[in-house]
Amino acid sequence: MKLIGKILVYLIWAVNWVISLLLVFSCYGSLAAPMGQWPFASLSGLAFPFLFATNLLFLLFWLLLWRKGALLPLITLLVCIGPTLKYCPIHLLAPRRAADADLTVVSYNTESFGTRVNKEWSVKNPVLLHALGFEADIILIQETHANIVRAAKRDKDISADYPYIETESTTSGQTCMSKFPIIHAETFYFEDSRNSCQYLRILLPTEDTLAVYNCHLQSNHLKKDELAEYRQFIEKPTDSTHYRASKTVLKKLLESTSLRAGQARMIADMAGTETARYFIVCGDFNDTPFSFSHRLFDRFMNDAFSRSGVGPGITYHEYRLYYRIDHIFCSRNMTPLHTWVDRRNKDSDHYPVISKIKLVK
């Protein structure tokens, strides 16, 4: 019996090693692909929540059974502490600083203002009202709906609050609603994709120019049954059965991840040479904080949520898949004071991200 017990412990120990290595890879995998050449490395971040939770369970298990065994999951967690705090920050005092903000920005993939659910195409649309309710200075929308935007432009109350509205609805559909003058607007279309980036220059009350890149990077285009396979795979990445069943899903994910890497590089190149005093890159990235596209902007910009948010900040919630794939990045001379995700309206498959930002004079 003792021999069987030892063999069982060693088997569990071996599984713990595999989980630990996968956890480290999920945190740092995108670093292995400096130009996004290996999409699987960037994709590995999707498994982070499940790998992290499993590693915690191993830590508790070894503490109860064999304390020396707890060193492996403990060291793994310490190695991953930096990325973990980026994924799930704990800036508990951030709300107290919000009163000092100069600018409030909302980024919101509205999924056509949630019309799939609410069937409302007027200015009474719940998702539109939800976005307006934040009283933000600038509202940046992805997956807009042209009819609702036109109705908003005609509405006296909305146009009084947001006299400057620019929309692009031929591809992924971005819209900007601003309290400040929009002095330039154009759209950059990504090659071999229906997605795009809306570029705007906004004149702030300080007479400074704010450049905004309102992005919707490549979608995964997974069907409902494929999403179920996808969830099974990321919950049990070591299960070969799910891996074989998910070949089609993985192929789509890898292809879309590769496309997003190229799209992110295009926007990063433009933002890196931006002449406006302040600039923001935001929108639906379809990528987690451990992806290549996120790391690309994080190198020279401030990730608003990682620097002033609390918790995982889940923005996508459809099909029981919960990730932060919507981001707000601001230039280094802009300080995020308080950033949060509002979950009150579920008509869209995304939640809005709101950030209160201080301009460094």
Side-chain angles (χ1 to χ4, degrees):
M1 291 297 291
K2 285 186 177 181
L3 179 61
I4 294 174
K6 282 186 177 181
I7 292 173
L8 187 60
V9 167
Y10 284 132
L11 284 173
I12 296 172
W13 177 255
V15 173
N16 194 169
W17 263 103
V18 172
I19 295 297
S20 293
L21 291 172
L22 287 173
L23 177 58
V24 173
F25 185 70
S26 73
C27 288
Y28 296 101
S30 64
L31 294 173
M35 294 300 290
Q37 305 98 319
W38 305 327
F40 190 80
S42 188
L43 202 60
S44 64
L46 292 169
F48 170 79
F50 307 100
L51 295 170
F52 184 83
T54 304
N55 210 59
L56 276 179
L57 290 174
F58 270 120
L59 178 61
L60 295 173
F61 174 80
W62 291 121
L63 285 173
L64 293 172
L65 187 69
W66 180 40
R67 290 192 175 183
K68 286 185 178 180
L71 283 174
L72 174 59
L74 180 61
I75 291 171
T76 303
L77 291 173
L78 290 174
V79 168
C80 297
I81 190 67
T84 299
L85 290 175
K86 183 180 290 291
Y87 193 99
C88 188
I90 48 174
H91 301 286
L92 299 176
L93 300 180
R96 297 183 183 181
R97 305 198 304 266
D100 296 327
D102 298 311
L103 191 68
T104 302
V105 176
V106 172
S107 178
Y108 196 178
N109 182 326
T110 65
E111 195 189 12
S112 296
F113 288 97
T115 49
R116 173 175 60 92
V117 176
N118 58 47
K119 311 298 182 185
E120 179 60 67
W121 288 272
S122 73
V123 291
K124 295 180 180 179
N125 179 278
V127 174
L128 174 63
L129 295 176
H130 186 50
L132 295 172
F134 299 114
E135 299 181 351
D137 298 302
I138 302 170
I139 302 173
L140 297 155
I141 294 168
Q142 305 87 46
E143 290 193 36
T144 190
H145 193 294
N147 292 340
I148 294 175
V149 173
R150 281 194 289 267
K153 285 183 176 181
R154 292 193 298 265
D155 186 88
K156 291 182 180 179
D157 292 332
I158 295 176
S159 59
D161 289 334
Y162 294 95
Y164 308 98
I165 299 176
E166 288 288 342
T167 190
E168 178 277 310
S169 57
T170 57
T171 54
S172 59
Q174 279 82 260
T175 293
C176 173
M177 304 177 71
S178 174
K179 293 185 176 182
F180 311 132
I182 298 174
I183 56 178
H184 178 79
E186 63 179 303
T187 300
F188 299 105
Y189 298 96
F190 301 129
E191 189 177 354
D192 300 323
S193 174
R194 292 180 297 172
N195 295 66
S196 61
C197 174
Q198 183 187 39
Y199 175 71
L200 310 116
R201 292 176 78 87
I202 298 173
L203 187 64
L204 299 176
T206 58
E207 298 299 320
D208 293 308
T209 302
L210 169 69
V212 177
Y213 298 81
N214 184 12
C215 312
H216 188 189
L217 301 188
Q218 187 66 33
S219 303
N220 292 315
H221 298 300
L222 296 178
K223 298 175 183 177
K224 192 171 182 178
D225 58 329
E226 291 173 336
L227 282 164
E229 291 287 356
Y230 172 37
R231 180 176 175 81
Q232 288 177 341
F233 173 72
I234 58 177
E235 285 182 341
K236 298 180 180 179
T238 57
D239 191 324
S240 60
T241 304
H242 293 320
Y243 182 83
R244 287 192 297 270
S246 302
K247 279 186 177 180
T248 303
V249 176
L250 282 171
K251 184 180 179 182
K252 283 188 176 182
L253 290 173
L254 292 170
E255 287 174 352
S256 58
T257 301
S258 295
L259 286 171
R260 282 196 295 274
Q263 294 164 2
R265 282 197 298 269
M266 171 185 162
I267 298 167
D269 288 343
M270 291 190 293
T273 57
E274 182 57 62
T275 58
R277 180 167 185 177
Y278 304 105
F279 57 95
I280 287 173
V281 178
C282 70
D284 179 3
F285 282 58
N286 277 304
D287 265 331
T288 72
F290 292 160
S291 63
F292 167 78
S293 60
H294 185 281
R295 182 173 62 83
L296 193 62
F297 293 102
D298 199 39
R299 288 189 306 184
F300 68 100
M301 301 182 75
N302 293 327
D303 174 5
F305 193 88
S306 292
R307 290 178 179 266
S308 62
V310 177
I314 292 164
T315 62
Y316 183 83
H317 59 90
E318 194 89 322
Y319 302 108
R320 295 190 299 123
L321 294 167
Y322 306 107
Y323 292 105
R324 183 165 93 247
I325 59 174
D326 301 82
H327 308 284
I328 297 176
F329 291 93
C330 55
S331 52
R332 296 292 193 194
N333 57 353
M334 304 174 76
T335 305
L337 300 180
H338 178 39
T339 306
W340 72 99
V341 176
D342 190 287
R343 301 179 179 85
R344 288 175 294 172
N345 187 293
K346 300 182 186 298
D347 289 357
S348 169
D349 53 358
H350 291 247
Y351 295 126
V353 185
I354 308 95
S355 186
K356 289 188 173 290
I357 300 169
K358 180 76 173 176
L359 303 178
V360 179
K361 303 295 190 291

